[in-house]
Amino acid sequence: MPPREFLGYHGESMTIDRDRLRSEVERVHRRYALEVVEALGFCPWAKAAREAGRVRLLVSFDTTPDLPSALLFMDEIEADAGAEVSLIAYPLLPLDRLPFAHFVAELRAADAARKPVGETELAMADFHPNVAADTSDPERLVPFVRSAPDPTIQLVRIAALNGVRLSETRGTSFVDPAELSFEQLLQAQSAPPLSARVARANLRTVEALGLPSVLAVLADIARDRHTSYAALGVPPAVWSPHGAHQ
């Protein structure tokens, strides 16, 4: 595919080879997945999902928040039965953390509005590079754990997420809930919320390794991202990684 001209962050024209940029986005996000999410155990099921071929990364070249475009990506993801965890990365979107979170909230509402109540297929979360680490509480650390190299939307198939929750009673990564006994279902329902347990485990990991060590890995990935993107003509991001100016 030939290079395409985009309007930059301030209305300037920029020509970028989409195929080369997509390749760099995939490479940098792979570093984040392997060196941070998997290596530090931030998501206990990430490696199993990746090795099983259940993870998808899509790249949007939108330079403005575009709900119809994002909904089309969601349709593509929903149609792919093998995609249990999907990511939509936005390397050209000039939105800092809070505006991006608002965009994702609007997308969540737009998706829910077009479907019958209770039939939403994908759980949605916003990831953004500009997040300072708050280690005062497990839940407050969650946004930092989600500091992907680019503003990114994570979409997890709800059926798969329910299977992960119930699978903890069997010690596996993914199970069919219908295979579980009534006693196992009760055990799963009485346990603390999965998200709370993961958040506590992630805080323990950061405290054990030391925040500077985690920040060093993230900073190296951020430098890689900015250098490789700049070589392709992508202007500097409007945000600083990891809450550098917060």
Side-chain angles (χ1 to χ4, degrees):
M1 185 177 295
R4 178 179 173 185
E5 186 173 277
F6 297 89
L7 285 180
Y9 299 156
H10 304 291
E12 73 278 17
S13 176
M14 56 181 180
T15 302
I16 296 174
D17 187 317
R18 289 174 293 180
D19 288 340
R20 291 181 63 193
L21 178 55
R22 180 183 290 107
S23 178
E24 285 304 295
V25 173
E26 292 171 349
R27 181 186 65 79
V28 172
H29 278 254
R30 190 179 306 114
R31 285 196 61 189
Y32 169 71
L34 295 176
E35 299 176 32
V36 179
V37 178
E38 292 187 22
L40 304 184
F42 282 163
C43 176
W45 309 277
K47 182 177 181 180
R50 175 181 58 80
E51 291 180 341
R54 297 177 173 132
V55 180
R56 303 288 184 271
L57 173 64
L58 295 85
V59 180
S60 171
F61 298 108
D62 290 344
T63 56
T64 58
D66 188 330
L67 287 176
S69 173
L71 288 170
L72 287 176
F73 272 112
M74 292 186 68
D75 290 340
E76 179 180 344
I77 291 166
E78 289 182 4
D80 184 354
E84 292 185 340
V85 179
S86 298
L87 302 161
I88 307 174
Y90 287 84
L92 301 177
L93 190 62
L95 289 184
D96 212 334
R97 179 192 169 195
L98 290 181
F100 184 69
H102 293 158
F103 168 58
V104 176
E106 291 173 0
L107 177 62
R108 186 181 293 109
D111 180 53
R114 64 181 183 158
K115 295 176 180 175
V117 176
E119 293 191 14
T120 300
E121 294 187 33
L122 300 169
M124 197 177 308
D126 55 283
F127 286 48
H128 198 282
N130 185 20
V131 183
D134 185 344
T135 58
S136 64
D137 178 85
E139 294 297 332
R140 290 179 177 274
L141 187 66
V142 170
F144 174 74
V145 170
R146 295 174 175 174
S147 49
D150 291 295
T152 299
I153 303 173
Q154 182 196 62
L155 299 142
V156 180
R157 202 170 293 273
I158 292 175
L161 186 60
N162 290 337
V164 167
R165 287 170 176 148
L166 293 173
S167 72
E168 292 187 304
T169 65
R170 297 273 290 269
T172 58
S173 296
F174 298 93
V175 301
D176 181 350
E179 296 179 357
L180 299 177
S181 68
F182 179 70
E183 291 77 13
Q184 289 170 326
L185 288 171
L186 286 178
Q187 179 182 342
Q189 292 171 356
S190 63
L194 175 62
S195 59
R197 282 174 281 155
V198 172
R200 289 198 296 266
N202 288 342
L203 177 57
R204 289 194 296 269
T205 296
V206 171
E207 290 176 337
L209 292 174
L211 182 58
S213 296
V214 179
L215 283 169
V217 177
L218 288 169
D220 186 65
I221 295 173
R223 283 191 295 269
D224 186 3
R225 182 260 187 212
H226 296 318
T227 301
S228 61
Y229 289 15
L232 297 177
V234 177
V238 300
W239 36 261
S240 298
H242 317 122
H245 299 311
Q246 292 184 13

